Amino acid sequence: MNNTSIYKASDDGYISVVEGIKRKTLVFGEKTLLTEFRLAAGKKLPLHRHSHEQTGYLVSGRMIFSIDGVKHTIMPGDSWAILGNVEHSAEIIEDSIAIEVFSPVREDFL
């Protein structure tokens, strides 16, 4: 890897996570990975957990997160941090765009 990575915006390269939810790895370094999620209204990201810490920011839309059994309504401009190995899911209320950082780098997102 070079000392610098630059990502130029593009509509290419999105991967379907589940129906109506897709992700795209934007850029990554040695310790963090930046991902954009596009989420369709009415869809659900199933309950899951992973070893990676994730922090995020909702660019647009509205979602309800369930994090460790507690529900949180997320609106544009809201942000979150979910520690590794904590169960979480999301219900997409409106078409949404979220940006998330994972640490350490998620090899499965490369």
Side-chain angles (χ1 to χ4, degrees), residues 34-85:
L34 184 67
T35 304
E36 178 183 306
F37 285 87
R38 293 187 180 181
L39 310 107
K43 300 302 179 181
K44 292 185 180 182
L45 187 61
L47 188 64
H48 66 286
R49 70 172 68 205
H50 43 75
S51 62
H52 307 82
E53 181 174 288
Q54 75 187 71
T55 57
Y57 176 84
L58 189 62
V59 175
S60 62
R62 184 165 55 107
M63 304 187 303
I64 298 174
F65 266 133
S66 177
I67 303 171
D68 206 18
V70 179
K71 293 191 178 217
H72 307 271
T73 300
I74 307 295
M75 305 291 286
D78 291 349
S79 53
W80 55 89
I82 304 171
L83 298 178
N85 295 310

